[in-house]
Amino acid sequence: MGKVVEISPTTRHEGRSKLVLQVDDEGIITVGNWISVTPVRGLEKAVLGKPMEQVPKLLSRVCGICPVAHALAAVEAIETSIGVEIPADAHTLRVILHCANRLNNHALSNIFTLPDLYIPGTDRKINLFSPEEPMRSIARRIQRIREIAQGITEIAGGEAIHPTNTRIGGMYYNITSRAKQKLTDLAKEAVDIVKTQMDFMIAVLRNFQRRDWTEIGGRQIPIPRNLGYHSEGYLATDSLYGTSSRTSVQSWDPDHLREIRPWNFYMGEVTIDLEDSTYPIGGTTAAGTVVHPKREATNAIPLYNGRPVEVGPRARMALYQGFNEKGTIGQQVARQMEYMTDVHEILNRLDTLNTSGKVLTDPIPPGDGKTLAWATTEPARGTNVHFVRVREGKVADYSMIVPTTWNFPVCSKALSGAPWQLAEVIIRGYDPCVSCATHMIVLDPDKNVVAQNLIR
Amino acid sequence: MAAPLGQYKMVLFARTTDKEILRGAQNGGIVTALLSYALDTGIIDGAVVAAPSRSKPWRGKFDPWRSEPIVAMTRDQLLSARKTGYNISPNVMMIKEATRSYGLDRVGIVGVPCQIQGVRKAQLYPIGMRGVPDKIALVIGIYCMEVFPYQSIVQIVEDHGGVKMESVEKIEIGKGNFTVVTERGRTIQIPLNETRDLEQPGCHVCLDYAATLADISTGSAGSPAGWSTVFIRTKIGDEVWKRAMQAGLFETKPIGQVEPGLGAVEKLAVEKITRNKKTLEDRDFIGTKGLRNPYITT
């Protein structure tokens, strides 16, 4: 007879989510439910009727970690809807911004992942806050990568967090030749650091893969060989930047997309009957607590061809570069391998950037609202799709499917077969950004808000 | 030290030895010479200055009566920004952009007292100014009684003065008059009392004349024609000034030697502060929320 355990909240990722896990007598997960419980932002509704110029600025506020991804996807989608081609130099600046944001996010993900991993040859976990070596120099290196990435975003995008330079029709300003030179210096500095960081990360990940057990809550938990394996497919729309409904050869087909509600996917009301007070950060939820995953979930479930799909670095590498390693470690390794792509792409694009070039197209049509346009970007965590319809300069429809939304169902499936103590290690493999993935307010049949505490 | 003039380490009369700068300067060419020196020696990578408008050409060239902030990164750009402008040039607006798309690490800025106040506030509370405070390397202040919106200047010249803007060769404010000199040599003087209502309203609550928060502040008041009165106020200002002096950039006269001297600067400062304090009291009296006095001027 199985038992139910709940880890709430999950830690070391962006946003608030929880795990409700049905486990067998050995503590192996049979049914995994990973759900978002972050309060709804409601931005998709808030932007309706707003002038299109305002919308990318609003949507970048979905999240403070991937604002660049949302700002870029929003401008690209709106430009597709109104039928505007942006100048080549504006596109170059956007790709630089995009890559810098990815660099920053991968480094951030390293900070979240490293405490799970061991210093090779020892049974000591890596604590980045420790003043001892090698922890201190690892922490310094990661922070320097983030500093460089944010510095590049700041110059190319106007602001390190919410870029101000992006706009409908291109960019507000081109950068000066001096700024280009500064960006090149920063990126060249990053090449070496990032290479070291990539090699280091892959080494400690491989070391974790070779281990038989990992210590969690004072106990040795066996690491299964198939940690995080799933049998679902991958989705990536581009190997680097993204695509839109304008392109003639489509890398995916939005007609195959169906979004279902969480109550058709997650489990119903269950009572927690397994409790472990030794689990890190205050133990798991007390036994006897009644939880209702399908009602509490605030994320939607997108299905592609009727199945959940994985998005992210591994999906990009699998579809475009023939990477075939499965599982959590494979996913993490793919993420580290993208480091070099990002930093070299910044350098390549800087080479082609003409600092005297035009970056704003003219005129900018108001849009006829006939077609629902979409654009995707491929930020750190995977495919970010924005759908929009613009009519007379106002946004008539808006919908977004962000990376972690795609990953919620597939990760829930990937949890099966692993000891429940390792569930968080698996979700960290997806580098979740839960806030972006929040779409639902749960209503009962009479349209009353059930999960009212979520939107207070 | 007298409070209306703020804290300072040193005050003197100065004029640049650089003939090219002096030729087009309003007075002693202090600001242009200092920034040009700072640019050459790497104290700054660029400076936010008010230059004739490029967006609205006038008589086939840049409009000298409409100032706009630019980020000057070469000596030529600095030279194009010589001379005083009397309209509002939102220099603080460009300071963030200078650290962004211009890619500067050490920014110099020139401004009137209220703008210097803004810059210092941005350094203390960098809201919306991420990464900017530590990149501000040199702050130069200019004395200021008041400024005019561009439309006011048009109104003064065309309605009060009765000449077309295009005919204007020189505009000067001083000795109680708004003086316009046309290209045909006609001089029109409009008493400043008449133009009071056309000033920027914000100027009527400003309690700073001599840019007391700048590193170095300068202006024509008190000095003989072709010279400027310079206050060296901060450690940074002192250091830059000393290096510039060693480089032989300026000739100076001690303040006591020439009339009218410091007394004239103080007189103007007190006049501005007294008048504007009265505006503040009046506003207080009619119930408008009183403004906090950021300066200790008692």
Side-chain angles (χ1 to χ4, degrees):
Chain A
M1 182 57 201
K3 289 189 167 183
V4 179
V5 60
E6 186 197 59
I7 302 169
S8 173
T10 48
T11 52
R12 277 193 269 131
H13 62 73
E14 197 283 340
R16 189 180 168 98
S17 71
K18 69 175 185 176
L19 285 157
V20 183
L21 309 165
Q22 219 163 54
V23 299
D24 64 13
D25 296 338
E26 276 80 51
I28 304 295
I29 301 167
T30 50
V31 181
N33 274 195
W34 176 38
I35 62 172
S36 159
V37 286
T38 305
V40 169
R41 280 154 173 59
L43 276 167
E44 285 154 298
K45 285 277 175 252
V47 299
L48 295 184
K50 295 272 190 302
M52 60 179 179
E53 289 81 6
Q54 212 179 355
V55 169
K57 309 282 174 216
L58 286 170
L59 285 174
S60 98
R61 268 72 185 173
V62 167
C63 165
I65 299 194
C66 24
V68 175
H70 291 298
L72 289 180
V75 287
E76 297 276 351
I78 292 171
E79 281 159 4
T80 310
S81 175
I82 60 177
V84 149
E85 286 285 345
I86 64 165
D89 288 313
H91 182 73
T92 308
L93 278 174
R94 285 185 188 178
V95 177
I96 292 171
L97 255 181
H98 173 79
C99 291
N101 182 241
R102 247 164 61 163
L103 203 60
N104 179 22
N105 278 302
H106 286 342
L108 187 65
S109 162
N110 287 174
I111 298 177
F112 293 149
T113 310
L114 278 171
D116 288 332
L117 307 176
Y118 286 86
I119 299 172
T122 67
D123 285 340
R124 269 171 68 210
K125 282 196 173 178
I126 298 172
N127 172 12
L128 286 177
F129 294 100
S130 156
E132 293 164 39
E133 290 297 339
M135 306 351 171
R136 186 43 58 95
S137 42
I138 300 166
R140 283 225 171 99
R141 188 165 62 218
I142 295 174
Q143 291 300 51
R144 183 62 194 150
I145 296 173
R146 298 189 59 218
E147 215 167 42
I148 291 173
Q150 296 220 346
I152 294 173
T153 319
E154 195 171 83
I155 293 170
E159 207 57 90
I161 311 288
H162 296 291
T164 50
N165 199 5
T166 52
R167 60 161 291 167
I168 310 295
M171 301 292 263
Y172 278 101
Y173 304 104
N174 200 339
I175 58 173
T176 60
S177 55
R178 190 194 163 83
K180 176 178 164 179
Q181 166 200 334
K182 190 173 168 188
L183 289 188
T184 314
D185 289 350
L186 282 171
K188 278 187 187 283
E189 185 191 340
V191 173
D192 285 346
I193 309 177
V194 155
K195 174 81 170 58
T196 320
Q197 178 64 11
M198 176 186 78
D199 289 345
F200 163 77
M201 282 305 294
I202 294 178
V204 289
L205 285 162
R206 291 288 179 226
N207 173 64
F208 184 83
Q209 201 174 23
R210 281 191 295 269
R211 291 180 66 90
D212 297 326
W213 55 269
T214 177
E215 183 268 339
I216 288 171
R219 267 180 295 163
Q220 293 187 356
I221 310 294
I223 305 171
R225 292 298 121 211
N226 61 351
L227 183 72
Y229 276 41
H230 64 78
S231 48
E232 307 298 342
Y234 299 127
L235 175 70
T237 56
D238 190 53
S239 61
L240 180 79
Y241 181 70
T243 177
S244 71
S245 48
R246 248 181 321 189
T247 43
S248 49
V249 181
Q250 305 282 339
S251 49
W252 75 303
D253 186 356
D255 289 344
H256 293 197
L257 164 76
R258 197 158 61 92
E259 216 174 12
I260 62 166
R261 303 300 159 219
W263 49 86
N264 296 331
F265 188 82
Y266 290 125
M267 52 173 127
E269 192 175 287
V270 282
T271 310
I272 308 295
D273 46 8
L274 176 65
E275 186 186 337
D276 184 354
S277 56
T278 59
Y279 191 80
I281 331 253
T284 62
T285 308
T289 314
V290 177
V291 290
H292 206 145
K294 68 172 163 187
R295 276 205 174 169
E296 289 169 32
T298 53
N299 57 302
I301 307 291
L303 302 177
Y304 193 63
N305 287 329
R307 305 285 300 172
V309 282
E310 181 190 323
V311 298
R314 197 235 318 259
R316 286 193 281 267
M317 298 279 267
L319 294 179
Y320 291 94
Q321 292 169 46
F323 184 85
N324 62 3
E325 192 174 338
K326 294 187 75 174
T328 300
I329 301 297
Q331 207 166 23
Q332 290 281 15
V333 168
R335 176 165 300 119
Q336 316 313 324
M337 286 167 78
E338 273 198 347
Y339 261 137
M340 295 313 284
T341 320
D342 294 339
V343 69
H344 281 300
E345 201 56 42
I346 292 174
L347 283 169
N348 290 345
R349 299 288 168 147
L350 279 171
D351 268 352
T352 60
L353 178 71
N354 171 13
T355 52
S356 321
K358 206 176 131 189
V359 288
L360 186 58
T361 183
D362 189 39
I364 298 170
D368 57 8
K370 278 184 189 144
T371 50
L372 182 69
W374 56 262
T376 70
T377 53
E378 286 287 340
R381 298 174 175 85
T383 307
N384 180 20
V385 194
H386 284 215
F387 295 89
V388 64
R389 191 196 306 273
V390 180
R391 191 180 295 123
E392 299 302 326
K394 300 270 168 39
V395 169
D397 282 315
Y398 211 98
S399 171
M400 50 211 260
I401 303 177
V402 308
T404 306
T405 310
W406 292 104
N407 282 336
F408 265 109
V410 75
C411 178
S412 293
K413 293 196 174 260
L415 292 168
S416 312
W420 69 265
Q421 291 91 338
L422 292 184
E424 280 198 86
V425 176
I426 296 172
I427 65 167
R428 277 177 211 129
Y430 290 82
D431 186 14
C433 184
V434 179
S435 303
C436 311
T438 297
H439 294 274
M440 297 282 136
I441 297 177
V442 185
L443 303 174
D444 69 7
D446 302 326
K447 302 267 179 200
N448 297 320
V449 177
V450 175
Q452 201 166 25
N453 61 327
L454 295 180
I455 55 164
R456 201 173 283 158
Chain B
M1 272 170 224
L5 300 178
Q7 298 280 325
Y8 55 86
K9 289 176 183 291
M10 187 165 57
V11 57
L12 35 77
F13 294 130
R15 140 177 115 173
T16 176
T17 51
D18 186 325
K19 291 283 172 293
E20 193 187 1
I21 292 176
L22 202 56
R23 212 173 305 131
Q26 183 87 7
N27 300 297
I30 305 294
V31 176
T32 313
L34 260 179
L35 288 178
S36 160
Y37 171 76
L39 206 57
D40 286 346
T41 49
I43 297 167
I44 58 171
D45 310 319
V48 183
V49 295
S53 170
R54 280 139 203 270
S55 51
K56 303 264 167 60
W58 176 86
R59 277 206 282 193
K61 53 179 185 182
F62 299 149
D63 187 344
W65 316 123
R66 191 201 293 267
S67 304
E68 268 178 6
I70 62 160
V71 179
M73 287 154 73
T74 60
R75 186 180 151 92
D76 283 351
Q77 282 173 318
L78 281 176
L79 288 178
S80 77
R82 283 172 300 189
K83 278 201 186 290
T84 309
Y86 288 107
N87 74 314
I88 303 162
S89 166
N91 284 9
V92 185
M93 179 186 92
M94 285 304 277
I95 201 157
K96 182 156 118 182
E97 206 47 46
T99 67
R100 301 293 200 259
S101 59
Y102 289 84
L104 302 186
D105 295 312
R106 297 175 296 267
V107 188
I109 182 165
V110 185
V112 287
C114 55
Q115 294 175 328
I116 304 303
Q117 209 178 321
V119 169
R120 294 308 191 199
K121 182 156 187 184
Q123 283 184 296
L124 277 175
Y125 305 100
I127 294 169
M129 287 277 192
R130 196 176 192 265
V132 176
D134 51 339
K135 293 191 175 122
I136 296 171
L138 183 61
V139 180
I140 300 181
I142 302 169
Y143 308 160
C144 170
M145 276 308 254
E146 71 277 305
V147 294
F148 295 92
Y150 182 72
Q151 281 69 16
S152 295
I153 294 181
V154 174
Q155 197 172 344
I156 293 167
V157 172
E158 301 215 336
D159 297 353
H160 293 243
V163 287
K164 280 285 284 169
M165 268 314 275
E166 280 80 354
S167 315
V168 178
E169 195 59 45
K170 192 179 178 188
I171 292 179
E172 214 171 28
I173 299 179
K175 305 193 175 67
N177 284 317
F178 188 106
T179 311
V180 180
V181 182
T182 69
E183 30 168 19
R184 290 171 199 82
R186 194 176 145 211
T187 304
I188 303 146
Q189 288 196 323
I190 304 138
L192 280 174
N193 288 339
E194 280 181 29
T195 64
R196 202 60 75 201
D197 289 347
L198 293 165
E199 288 164 8
Q200 181 184 222
C203 297
H204 296 159
V205 294
C206 172
L207 299 175
D208 189 0
Y209 169 73
T212 52
L213 295 177
D215 290 325
I216 294 175
S217 47
T218 179
S220 66
S223 54
W227 289 72
S228 300
T229 315
V230 184
F231 287 95
I232 317 295
R233 297 185 183 278
T234 64
K235 213 187 270 180
I236 295 173
D238 196 32
E239 207 174 291
V240 175
W241 184 259
K242 272 187 190 140
R243 283 174 64 179
M245 284 302 289
Q246 272 166 15
L249 210 65
F250 298 108
E251 46 180 323
T252 58
K253 278 185 203 173
I255 197 87
Q257 216 171 36
V258 196
E259 287 299 315
L262 203 56
V265 190
E266 197 171 338
K267 186 168 157 263
L268 284 167
V270 170
E271 187 190 322
K272 175 175 177 179
I273 293 165
T274 318
R275 194 172 67 209
N276 290 350
K277 264 188 176 163
K278 193 165 176 309
T279 316
L280 286 171
E281 278 160 19
D282 290 352
R283 282 195 184 190
D284 215 20
F285 179 73
I286 60 168
T288 318
K289 196 179 170 206
L291 290 169
R292 187 179 59 84
N293 179 356
Y295 298 100
I296 300 155
T297 51
T298 46

